[in-house]
Amino acid sequence: MRWFMSHHKREYEVLREKTQLSPVTCLLLANRGVTASEAQTALNPTFEDLSDPFAFREMEVAVSYILDCLAAEIPIRIVGDYDQDGVAATTILMKGLRYFAERLGADPLHAVSYAIPDRMEDGYGISPSLVERAMDERCGLIVTVDNGIAAFDALQYAAEVGMPVIVTDHHQPVVEDGAFRRPECEALINPHVPGERVAFRDLCGAGVAFKLVDALARQMEDPFALREELLGYAALGTICDVMPLVGENRTIVTLGLDALNRSTNPGLRALLQAIHWEKDITVYTAGFIIGPCINASGRLMTARLGVELFLEDDPVTVAAYAEELVRLNDERKAMTLEGTERAQAVIEKKPLTPVLVCYLPGLHESLCGLVAGRMRERYNRPSLVFTDAQNGEGLIKGSGRSIPAYHMFQKLNAHRDDYVAFGGHAMACGMTIRKVDLERLVATWNAESELTTSDLEREITVDGRLPLSAIDVALMRDLDALEPYGNGFAAPLFAAIAVHVRGFRVVGAAQNVLRVNLEQNGARFVAVAFQAQELLVRLKGQHPKAPEWVEALLRGEDIPVSMDVLYKPQWNTFRGQTQIELKLSDMRFSRV
């Protein structure tokens, strides 16, 4: 693993000059691209920091259509998506539009309904069949959330049968022959549309949906008591769709997490109880505990379960929903583990190629992306996993996950004519191909990868050097004030050079945690590293005597060897006692 040091000296100096923030806070903000003028909002965002939703060019049109329908009691159908972002976006519009329907004197249950496509039967997004169903059920307006930007056939059909559609989405628009292809719709709300005026473009689907209800509230000059609650769902979508926690997303997530922690929503409380979570809701809770449970319903059953969890008020009903979501997620985890082990066995039967591809018959279609992600994490190479398509004889469906050095969409898009279906972005893709073409395509993808040995080597960026003696309660308070951390605003990572290691110990039920006692200039800390066995293998390969040193340290011997370590300071509470602990990202022998 290669270590790189962040270097934003000029930005750091400006922050030191123009703010009263501590040196370490200025360093971390500078490394994350936050300027002096943005620092206050980044650290202490308020509702006033949310941008004007009417900056979207077609927001007024969308608001007008919706309010006209609500006032005339013309039913509105929301068409969502089956992942956590789509569930959150659907929940936001369901709750928001029903609120405004009631304010206008309409029956909220009659005014607004929703549909979410079945992942296996319908595929992604709005379809002609969903348009037809809305027509049959006498809806007069469709609003998409987290989909629609590329649904040309469905929206053309909607136009032909006279069904008006408002598209709210955050996915990249389709460009053909250098020109943006606009889908047929009455209003298009998407921050990535060419010529759009919004200042911040990296919103998720739930973030865009929140913008729409915020615009409705402003248009009606309504105090909108639901604003905080809906911002909580927008935060869930932002975190689970792994959007960068910068700019307006930082405001959404900071305020949204606060709203979630104060929420009395019966479904949310039931889910937290079902998973036995008694701590505050954080980015980790949303992304690794709540999100996977909601996503599991869309993968293995129906995402309606996730939406209904947040809409339903009956305690008994939501408790049953929550238990089912937890059960589905447990099933999903077991299926993912089995698929990962199968993929690993396939890949390791032959020499590693630059682009890893494996075909796993019998794997659930919805798990291809998860297994591909595990392969990418393990081997640090672009990885694609395929399985038999449920619909279409002779077809296989797959998902890919990539690394920074390989723009997956651009590379694979060069052969788009060879695929039945394809879409994606730099770091991921989804595709359907003919099974007979797989071997030829794998050879082509690898021949054209242009990946070098250094491209495939893991890299890690460090905020700066910080000796162990600098770690104290004041530092931790500075780090706590910078939360939330996540994609685009990473948790601080420091380097300590020439640290004395006073012993290793492998712990944990799976023997996968390395506990390390560190000392430097009188400062002592306990550090932990996960994936212990992989780390020990790497350490043993760093020096001819390294295997001997590692074994001595594992025996608890105090040997004259120092190490350089990369670490993240964190609080650890055990048996009622809270202390500072270091989470190790990497370590290497520095000198004898």
Side-chain angles (χ1 to χ4, degrees):
M1 182 181 291
R2 294 186 293 174
W3 299 3
F4 293 91
M5 192 76 71
S6 288
H7 186 74
H8 298 89
K9 183 178 180 181
R10 177 55 186 157
E11 294 86 345
Y12 166 79
E13 290 173 345
V14 172
L15 279 159
R16 288 286 289 147
E17 177 185 344
K18 295 189 175 182
T19 73
Q20 301 298 312
L21 299 170
S22 70
V24 72
T25 299
C26 291
L27 172 72
L28 297 173
L29 289 176
N31 288 348
R32 285 150 186 75
V34 178
T35 65
S37 61
E38 299 166 337
Q40 181 59 35
T41 299
L43 291 170
N44 299 292
T46 67
F47 281 95
E48 285 67 38
D49 294 315
L50 294 170
S51 65
D52 182 358
F54 287 102
F56 283 94
R57 292 185 303 170
E58 300 183 25
M59 185 64 83
E60 288 187 14
V61 177
V63 167
S64 178
Y65 261 95
I66 290 171
L67 292 181
D68 286 350
C69 284
L70 293 177
E73 299 191 44
I74 298 173
I76 298 173
R77 170 62 50 82
I78 298 162
V79 176
D81 186 24
Y82 38 65
D83 67 357
Q84 166 64 73
D85 187 25
V87 165
T90 303
T91 302
I92 288 169
L93 280 201
M94 284 295 295
K95 284 179 171 283
L97 268 59
R98 283 182 171 177
Y99 169 89
F100 294 119
E102 194 166 14
R103 300 284 286 181
L104 292 169
D107 177 1
L109 298 181
H110 172 75
V112 190
S113 60
Y114 74 95
I116 293 182
D118 182 273
R119 182 189 291 263
M120 307 291 283
E121 295 295 331
D122 302 315
Y124 167 75
I126 188 172
S127 62
S129 63
L130 289 176
V131 174
E132 189 171 344
R133 190 188 310 169
M135 293 284 291
D136 292 343
E137 295 172 6
R138 301 185 181 281
C139 296
L141 174 67
I142 290 176
V143 183
T144 72
V145 290
D146 198 29
N147 74 93
I149 189 66
F152 302 112
D153 292 343
L155 296 179
Q156 180 62 44
Y157 176 71
E160 291 171 358
V161 299
M163 171 65 75
V165 180
I166 294 169
V167 171
T168 78
D169 200 354
H170 75 116
H171 293 95
Q172 291 292 332
V174 175
V175 176
E176 294 180 348
D177 299 323
F180 161 55
R181 183 180 177 186
R182 178 192 167 90
E184 284 272 353
C185 58
E186 275 55 49
L188 177 58
I189 312 298
N190 184 324
H192 297 292
V193 168
E196 190 53 86
R197 303 175 306 194
V198 292
F200 185 77
R201 299 183 185 276
D202 286 329
L203 295 169
C204 67
V208 177
F210 179 82
K211 285 295 179 187
L212 178 56
V213 295
D214 191 27
L216 288 164
R218 296 186 190 212
Q219 182 69 21
M220 293 182 65
E221 298 182 347
D222 191 285
F224 198 34
L226 288 180
R227 180 177 278 109
E228 287 190 26
E229 179 187 352
L230 301 192
L231 201 59
Y233 302 125
L236 286 177
T238 302
I239 294 165
C240 295
D241 231 37
V242 201
M243 306 306 293
L245 298 192
V246 298
E248 190 157 13
N249 281 344
R250 189 157 190 79
T251 299
I252 289 172
V253 169
T254 303
L255 300 178
L257 287 175
D258 182 58
L260 289 171
N261 279 302
R262 290 185 288 104
S263 173
T264 58
N265 179 270
L268 177 62
R269 291 296 133 196
L271 182 59
L272 293 173
Q273 183 174 352
I275 56 184
H276 309 294
W277 189 262
E278 298 178 351
K279 304 176 185 177
D280 283 348
I281 298 173
T282 63
V283 170
Y284 173 82
T285 319
F288 293 95
I289 296 178
I290 296 174
C293 288
I294 302 299
N295 278 332
S297 66
R299 294 183 190 279
L300 303 182
M301 195 170 75
T302 170
R304 289 185 64 90
L305 187 59
V307 178
E308 290 300 319
L309 177 79
F310 296 124
L311 296 183
E312 179 60 57
D313 290 327
D314 179 65
V316 176
T317 302
V318 294
Y321 289 161
E323 292 293 343
E324 181 65 5
L325 287 169
V326 173
R327 185 194 68 78
L328 287 169
N329 192 44
D330 288 342
E331 182 181 351
R332 188 273 311 165
K333 287 191 283 189
M335 293 168 66
T336 303
L337 178 60
E338 180 187 6
T340 301
E341 292 173 346
R342 288 177 59 198
Q344 186 176 330
V346 169
I347 288 171
E348 294 185 355
K349 282 182 180 178
K350 50 190 176 182
L352 292 180
T353 54
V355 179
L356 301 178
V357 183
C358 64
Y359 162 60
L360 301 177
L363 181 70
H364 197 283
E365 282 183 20
S366 69
L367 302 181
C368 287
L370 293 177
V371 177
R374 301 290 193 277
M375 294 300 97
R376 185 266 316 275
E377 291 168 8
R378 181 174 181 84
Y379 301 104
N380 199 48
R381 295 161 190 255
S383 302
L384 295 104
V385 174
F386 288 89
T387 191
D388 293 310
Q390 180 172 322
N391 299 318
E393 188 173 350
L395 300 180
I396 57 176
K397 294 182 74 171
S399 293
R401 298 293 182 267
S402 196
I403 60 176
Y406 186 84
H407 194 300
M408 184 163 272
F409 180 79
Q410 288 182 359
K411 286 292 186 180
L412 302 189
N413 193 52
H415 299 279
R416 191 180 192 127
D417 291 344
D418 290 333
Y419 316 145
V420 176
F422 177 69
H425 52 78
M427 297 297 288
C429 77
M431 65 193 329
T432 302
I433 63 174
R434 288 169 286 274
K435 185 178 177 181
V436 295
D437 293 334
L438 179 61
E439 187 174 349
R440 174 177 59 83
L441 289 171
V442 171
T444 299
W445 295 335
N446 275 289
E448 298 177 355
S449 75
E450 299 181 301
L451 289 167
T452 65
T453 301
S454 61
D455 289 334
L456 301 178
E457 188 175 353
R458 298 181 191 275
E459 298 178 354
I460 192 165
T461 301
V462 185
D463 280 300
R465 291 189 181 188
L466 192 72
L468 301 190
S469 58
I471 304 171
D472 56 18
V473 172
L475 171 73
M476 296 302 294
R477 287 175 180 157
D478 282 341
L479 302 189
D480 290 345
L482 283 163
E483 292 184 343
Y485 298 114
N487 180 39
F489 201 94
L493 179 65
F494 299 110
I497 307 302
V499 177
H500 183 53
V501 179
R502 302 180 64 85
F504 288 166
R505 186 155 62 96
V506 178
V507 298
Q511 293 287 283
N512 63 343
V513 178
L514 184 67
R515 186 177 174 88
V516 184
N517 294 313
L518 302 177
E519 181 180 358
Q520 186 183 45
N521 298 327
R524 293 188 177 187
F525 287 94
V526 172
V528 293
F530 297 93
Q531 298 179 321
Q533 300 305 326
E534 294 179 20
L535 177 57
L536 292 174
V537 168
R538 289 206 307 273
L539 287 173
K540 289 179 179 180
Q542 291 181 4
H543 189 279
K545 292 186 177 181
E548 175 186 333
W549 297 337
V550 169
E551 292 301 325
L553 289 168
L554 286 169
R555 292 192 298 269
E557 296 178 16
D558 191 355
I559 61 175
V561 171
S562 62
M563 304 191 79
D564 305 333
V565 299
L566 301 186
Y567 68 92
K568 298 176 182 178
Q570 59 185 18
W571 292 110
N572 179 49
T573 300
F574 182 68
R575 294 179 178 174
Q577 297 295 316
T578 299
Q579 58 186 7
I580 302 171
E581 181 180 78
L582 308 185
K583 181 180 178 182
L584 295 179
S585 295
D586 198 17
M587 58 196 310
R588 66 190 182 194
F589 290 104
S590 50
R591 61 183 175 82
V592 180

